[in-house]
């Protein structure tokens, strides 16, 4: 390929999405990955694209809403450009409610959602017991119509193919950089950035998940007390995940995943007897700000950062990609202040 206009380092979800956003605008893109497409946490199983609660609105929630709202069209274009499935479907989400107080709070949030979600999506309290609904102590569940699912591995493969179809170059291994460089290198990138700046900007949080054989493909996902149950289009269901700040091994599963499985069976009896197909674990990059880390690498002209997706990387990816392409290719900076590298140089208690 000719000398690229832009180099992206890292073929996780932020790197792939940003490279695609640039390539679809006509930029000559070189994507460099040292291991494989979807290495690290982007090669996981779960793929829940879900919003935070619709209250106490802030830049992070607004950014996330925009990304989730644009996701259907964005992922459809990836599928069309690549000729490959992504596993995307907006089927909504159920959340069981613990008691009468939780039901009352959920109904109040439903009123907030009408305005915050611009009347395009709904957050409703429904009586439990319908098809596909989880067990609920209160007899009620939240149903939101904004949530969607994606198959992480299929999505990464489709993005890689779409980049190449648009004339982009993907290199696995060593290659020269040219033009501006976007570092989307996950946990290793967070650690390298912190070392360069002389202060930690993020860390890795281990997550464990599993995949079971159960064909619930047309049902909404379930979120229950931190547990995600996500049906995929291929007749499998992802269950996860743990959130571990301390661990003995970063990429092996243990009894904590078995406890997650037991909780999933209690919430979703439809999974009883479903064969376990795969167990998975990896470290997810979390910025100290708890928001995606975007923008210029301080002190390095022409160097940029797109990192810190943590649990919401796939949900944030469409807008992260477009905002980074705006910044690097067109000089338009629409990054929220809380997403900049500087936000992770300040402790949360000092904000």
């Amino acid at each position: 390929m000719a000398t690229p206009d832009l180099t992206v380092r890292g073929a996780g979800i932020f790197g792939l999405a940003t490279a695609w956003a640039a390539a679809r605008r006509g930029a000559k893109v070189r994507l460099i990955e040292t291991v494989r497409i979807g290495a690290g946490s982007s090669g996981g199983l779960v793929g829940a694209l879900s919003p935070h609660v619709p209250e106490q609105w802030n830049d992070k929630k607004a950014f996330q809403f925009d990304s989730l709202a644009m996701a259907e069209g964005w992922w459809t274009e990836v599928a069309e450009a690549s000729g490959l499935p992504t596993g995307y479907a907006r089927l909504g989400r159920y959340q069981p409610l613990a008691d009468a107080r939780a039901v009352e709070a959920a109904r109040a949030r439903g009123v907030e959602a009408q305005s915050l979600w611009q009347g395009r999506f709904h957050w409703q309290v429904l009586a439990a017991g319908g098809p596909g609904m989880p067990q609920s102590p209160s007899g009620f569940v939240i149903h939101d119509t904004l949530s969607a699912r994606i198959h992480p591995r299929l999505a990464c493969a489709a993005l890689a193919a779409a980049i190449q179809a648009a004339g982009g170059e993907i290199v696995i291994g060593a290659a020269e950089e040219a033009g501006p460089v976007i570092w989307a290198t996950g946990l290793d990138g967070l650690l390298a950035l912190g070392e360069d700046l002389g202060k930690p900007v993020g860390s890795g949080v281990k997550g464990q998940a599993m995949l079971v054989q159960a064909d619930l493909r047309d049902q909404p996902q379930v979120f229950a007390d931190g547990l995600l149950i996500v049906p995929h289009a291929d007749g499998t269901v992802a269950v996860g995940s743990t959130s571990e700040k301390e661990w003995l091994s970063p990429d092996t599963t243990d009894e904590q995943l078995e406890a997650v499985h037991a909780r999933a069976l209690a919430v979703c009896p439809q999974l009883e007897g479903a064969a376990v197909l795969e167990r998975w674990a990896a470290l997810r990059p979390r910025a100290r700000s708890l928001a995606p880390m975007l923008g210029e690498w301080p002190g390095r002209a022409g160097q940029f950062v797109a990192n810190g997706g943590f649990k919401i990387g796939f949900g944030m990816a469409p807008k992260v990609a477009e905002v980074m392409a705006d910044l690097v290719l067109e000089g338009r900076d629409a990054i929220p202040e809380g997403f900049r590298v500087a936000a992770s140089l300040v402790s949360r208690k000092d904000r």
Side-chain angles (χ1 to χ4, degrees), residues 25 42 60 145 154 163 175 240 247:
R25 299 185 190 197
S42 292
K60 182 178 179 181
T145 60
L154 293 181
I163 292 163
W247 59 86

Side-chain angles (χ1 to χ4, degrees), residues 43-159:
L45 303 173
V46 180
L49 313 181
S50 301
H52 288 86
V53 293
E55 64 179 6
Q56 299 178 347
W57 209 236
N58 55 33
D59 286 345
K60 182 178 179 181
K61 290 184 178 183
F63 192 104
Q64 183 189 49
F65 171 80
D66 290 344
S67 192
L68 293 173
M70 68 189 282
E72 185 168 13
W74 199 87
W75 285 109
T76 295
E77 188 171 350
V78 171
E80 291 174 348
S82 66
L84 297 175
T86 66
Y88 179 88
R90 180 175 284 140
L91 298 174
R93 173 181 61 171
Y94 291 132
Q95 299 180 71
L97 293 165
D99 49 34
R101 183 176 180 180
V103 172
E104 181 181 359
R107 286 181 171 142
R109 288 167 178 160
V111 175
E112 284 283 285
Q114 291 177 15
S115 60
L116 294 174
W117 291 359
Q118 305 167 10
R120 300 167 62 188
F121 309 96
H122 304 289
W123 172 289
Q124 302 168 310
V125 174
L126 304 176
M133 288 187 176
Q135 301 293 305
S136 175
S138 68
F140 292 92
V141 300
I142 299 165
H143 177 236
D144 83 76
T145 60
L146 176 55
S147 293
R149 64 152 194 245
I150 201 157
H151 192 296
R153 294 171 185 173
L154 293 181
C156 286
L159 278 168

Side-chain angles (χ1 to χ4, degrees), residues 88-307:
Y88 179 88
R90 180 175 284 140
L91 298 174
R93 173 181 61 171
Y94 291 132
Q95 299 180 71
L97 293 165
D99 49 34
R101 183 176 180 180
V103 172
E104 181 181 359
R107 286 181 171 142
R109 288 167 178 160
V111 175
E112 284 283 285
Q114 291 177 15
S115 60
L116 294 174
W117 291 359
Q118 305 167 10
R120 300 167 62 188
F121 309 96
H122 304 289
W123 172 289
Q124 302 168 310
V125 174
L126 304 176
M133 288 187 176
Q135 301 293 305
S136 175
S138 68
F140 292 92
V141 300
I142 299 165
H143 177 236
D144 83 76
T145 60
L146 176 55
S147 293
R149 64 152 194 245
I150 201 157
H151 192 296
R153 294 171 185 173
L154 293 181
C156 286
L159 278 168
I163 292 163
Q164 292 172 315
E169 178 187 19
I170 297 179
V171 180
I172 306 298
E176 293 185 359
E177 301 163 358
V181 181
I182 298 175
W183 293 85
T185 46
L187 178 57
D188 288 345
L190 284 183
L191 297 178
L193 177 60
E195 183 176 356
D196 182 64
L197 299 179
K199 188 173 184 179
V201 295
S203 60
V205 178
K206 182 177 177 179
Q208 300 185 44
M210 66 169 54
L211 198 67
V212 302
Q213 186 75 61
D215 195 347
L216 308 179
R217 69 184 69 197
D218 296 323
Q219 295 187 15
Q221 63 187 266
V222 172
F223 179 67
D225 190 27
L227 172 71
L228 286 162
I229 301 170
V230 182
H232 288 302
D234 60 359
T236 64
V237 177
V239 175
S241 63
T242 63
S243 190
E244 306 165 44
K245 295 182 180 178
E246 298 180 0
W247 59 86
L248 295 177
S249 170
D251 57 1
T252 59
T253 61
D254 55 31
E255 67 278 357
Q256 294 182 76
L257 182 57
E258 303 312 313
V260 166
H261 189 203
R263 289 168 55 206
L265 296 180
V267 171
C268 187
Q270 292 169 287
L271 299 181
E272 191 68 48
V276 176
L277 302 176
E278 182 179 351
R279 292 173 170 85
W280 173 90
L283 299 181
R284 297 165 293 185
R286 185 182 71 171
R288 291 184 72 197
S289 65
L290 304 185
M293 182 186 293
L294 310 176
E296 297 180 354
W297 183 311
R300 292 192 181 183
Q303 306 274 306
F304 300 85
V305 177
N307 208 326

Side-chain angles (χ1 to χ4, degrees), residues 314-334:
F314 277 87
M316 290 287 210
K319 186 159 186 181
V320 164
E322 299 303 327
V323 165
M324 289 302 296
D326 287 345
L327 176 64
V328 178
L329 297 178
E330 302 177 23
R332 290 189 289 120
D333 188 345

